[in-house]
Amino acid sequence: METTNCCEVEIEFEEKQKDIGIQCDLGKGNDLKTLEECPKHEKKSKESSIGNVLDVTNAAEIQFYTGFQDYEHIKFIFTIFGDEVNSLKYYPKMKTLKVPFINPCDQFLLVLIKLRRNMLFTELSFRLKVNKTVLSNIFITWVNYLYYKLKELKVWVPKQCIDKNMKYYGKINPCTVIVDCTEIKIEKPKNPLTQQLTYSTYKSANTLKVLVGISASGCVTFVSDAYGGSTSDRELFEKCGLIDKLEPNDIILSDRGFNVQDLVCHKDVTVNVPEFLKNTDGQFETSQLRRSKKNSSERIHVERVIGLAKTFKILSGKLDSKLVPLAGRIIFVCFMLTNFKNNIIR
């Protein structure tokens, strides 16, 4: 999350974000032991179990606590991480990790539970019989790890590929990307300048705003960094880096608030927005009405994807101030995880 003269995310979070990112280095170091390297005497005699939170054999419980259909689905996602999950460095940097043994797959499941249900670390601590600070450190480590790992996935799809894919299903591709902004409420910051930068007049609360882009098939292909809630949609579009991904003849579908055609005209990119009634004598022509209806029917999918991402309750409630430095990464992870769910467009 950067800080500029404009209303981007707050100054006081910048250093914290950098610290968290640095301390989640995935490389191996001599000053930090992994869970597997911890001596046996450093583990509690009674090992904690994810079974104290949910029954992994019960598909209904898995769906309720994680949002995924069953435990096999979660294990399938877990396989993409490879063996590196066995050598993660846990936040913050410590010489040893005095924690009970929780295998990496259970740690991943624990993170999904936190994202989906937004349970307090205190509650999870009681259930797992693990110190809540340890659970918090595991969560921070995994959010950083998932952020970098999921960022490696090449989810941006060029228009040519989308055209071929849509043609295979007998459909016409309406666009390259469908964009919209969404806001996540946060606790009111103590710094007055930060309060001003994050205050959203639309939500009447302090928020962080991100721009989300999806393909015509409903796959999340772009999630921006988090900016202060006072940032306008146009300003966010200009600064988020989406323009760099666009190519000549690309088409963007957006809401009326995105008056950004002048920002992409030099790349020969078209921005389709719903028609305005201004200068139409209060009535659309038939061609305008059809075009507007078609664009709206396609654009609504991005709102459905945003709604799907916000089934992770950590995004639908007010984000704890202690997690605000990680907000951009938490939001990114939640949206990327929706790509592993059933497609919203059938």
Side-chain angles (χ1 to χ4, degrees):
M1 294 184 286
E2 302 175 352
T3 54
T4 67
N5 295 328
C6 302
C7 36
E8 299 180 12
V9 81
E10 61 210 79
I11 298 172
E12 68 177 278
F13 296 154
E14 182 179 7
E15 294 302 324
K16 294 181 182 179
Q17 182 72 48
K18 289 181 180 178
D19 291 343
I20 290 176
I22 292 170
Q23 296 181 43
C24 187
D25 183 11
L26 301 184
K28 294 185 177 180
N30 297 325
D31 61 338
L32 187 64
K33 296 181 181 180
T34 66
L35 288 175
E36 289 189 344
E37 294 170 340
C38 290
K40 293 182 179 180
H41 69 270
E42 291 182 356
K43 303 172 186 178
K44 292 183 179 180
S45 57
K46 184 177 181 180
E47 295 181 354
S48 62
S49 171
I50 201 69
N52 293 329
V53 180
L54 80 166
D55 180 6
V56 296
T57 63
N58 189 326
E61 280 194 39
I62 289 290
Q63 189 167 13
F64 175 79
Y65 279 102
T66 68
F68 293 96
Q69 59 189 22
D70 52 37
Y71 190 54
E72 294 300 320
H73 192 181
I74 292 174
K75 288 198 296 184
F76 171 75
I77 299 171
F78 182 75
T79 57
I80 71 173
F81 304 140
D83 294 334
E84 61 192 29
V85 295
N86 296 315
S87 57
L88 293 181
K89 291 183 177 180
Y90 289 78
Y91 170 88
K93 287 187 176 181
M94 298 179 292
K95 291 183 179 180
T96 58
L97 287 173
K98 297 180 179 180
V99 298
F101 182 77
I102 308 175
N103 67 63
C105 188
D106 282 351
Q107 293 178 37
F108 176 57
L109 185 57
L110 176 66
V111 172
L112 293 180
I113 294 172
K114 174 62 178 176
L115 294 175
R116 171 72 173 182
R117 305 308 307 173
N118 198 21
M119 297 170 66
L120 296 175
F121 287 118
T122 303
E123 180 181 359
L124 291 171
S125 174
F126 290 148
R127 294 196 183 190
L128 289 170
K129 298 178 176 60
V130 180
N131 185 281
K132 66 178 182 180
T133 302
V134 173
L135 294 179
S136 175
N137 292 342
I138 290 175
F139 177 76
I140 290 172
T141 301
W142 269 87
V143 165
N144 279 281
Y145 171 72
L146 290 173
Y147 172 79
Y148 287 111
K149 191 66 177 178
L150 295 175
K151 215 170 180 62
E152 293 176 358
L153 300 178
K154 304 299 182 182
V155 293
W156 180 262
V157 186
K159 188 174 185 298
Q160 296 81 1
C161 295
I162 301 176
D163 289 340
K164 292 180 181 179
N165 185 55
M166 298 292 283
K167 187 176 181 180
Y168 176 80
Y169 288 101
K171 299 180 180 179
I172 299 176
N173 176 32
C175 62
T176 307
V177 63
I178 310 171
V179 299
D180 200 2
C181 288
T182 187
E183 299 184 55
I184 310 300
K185 291 183 180 180
I186 61 173
E187 293 183 357
K188 186 176 181 180
K190 296 180 180 179
N191 188 307
L193 177 59
T194 300
Q195 293 177 21
Q196 180 182 2
L197 294 177
T198 59
Y199 186 78
S200 168
T201 54
Y202 178 70
K203 294 288 186 179
S204 297
N206 294 95
T207 67
L208 296 177
K209 179 185 284 190
V210 297
L211 184 143
V212 179
I214 69 169
S215 67
S217 61
C219 175
V220 177
T221 58
F222 182 84
V223 182
S224 74
D225 292 333
Y227 291 74
S230 61
T231 309
S232 67
D233 292 352
R234 176 185 170 89
E235 185 180 8
L236 180 51
F237 180 87
E238 184 177 9
K239 296 179 179 297
C240 70
L242 178 61
I243 297 177
D244 298 333
K245 294 181 175 292
L246 298 173
E247 299 177 354
N249 300 321
D250 280 351
I251 301 173
I252 302 172
L253 286 186
S254 67
D255 200 2
R256 288 189 177 91
F258 284 85
N259 184 21
V260 295
Q261 182 65 66
D262 59 308
L263 299 177
V264 294
C265 61
H266 66 284
K267 302 192 77 169
D268 197 21
V269 173
T270 303
V271 180
N272 286 340
V273 298
E275 298 285 348
F276 290 88
L277 277 173
K278 186 177 180 181
N279 301 324
T280 60
D281 297 327
Q283 187 174 0
F284 285 127
E285 295 181 359
T286 303
S287 59
Q288 290 177 317
L289 186 61
R290 288 177 179 174
R291 184 166 58 251
S292 182
K293 185 176 180 180
K294 178 177 174 56
N295 289 343
S296 297
S297 65
E298 297 292 344
R299 197 195 63 79
I300 196 66
H301 294 314
V302 70
E303 297 181 5
R304 296 174 62 194
V305 170
I306 290 173
L308 181 62
K310 288 190 175 182
T311 57
F312 291 101
K313 293 188 179 298
I314 199 169
L315 301 185
S316 60
K318 186 175 289 186
L319 192 64
D320 190 293
S321 59
K322 294 180 181 179
L323 293 178
V324 168
L326 274 176
R329 297 181 182 183
I330 290 173
I331 295 170
F332 179 86
V333 168
C334 289
F335 273 96
M336 286 297 109
L337 286 175
T338 62
N339 284 340
F340 295 94
K341 296 187 177 183
N342 292 332
N343 200 307
I344 64 165
I345 301 177
R346 302 183 185 278

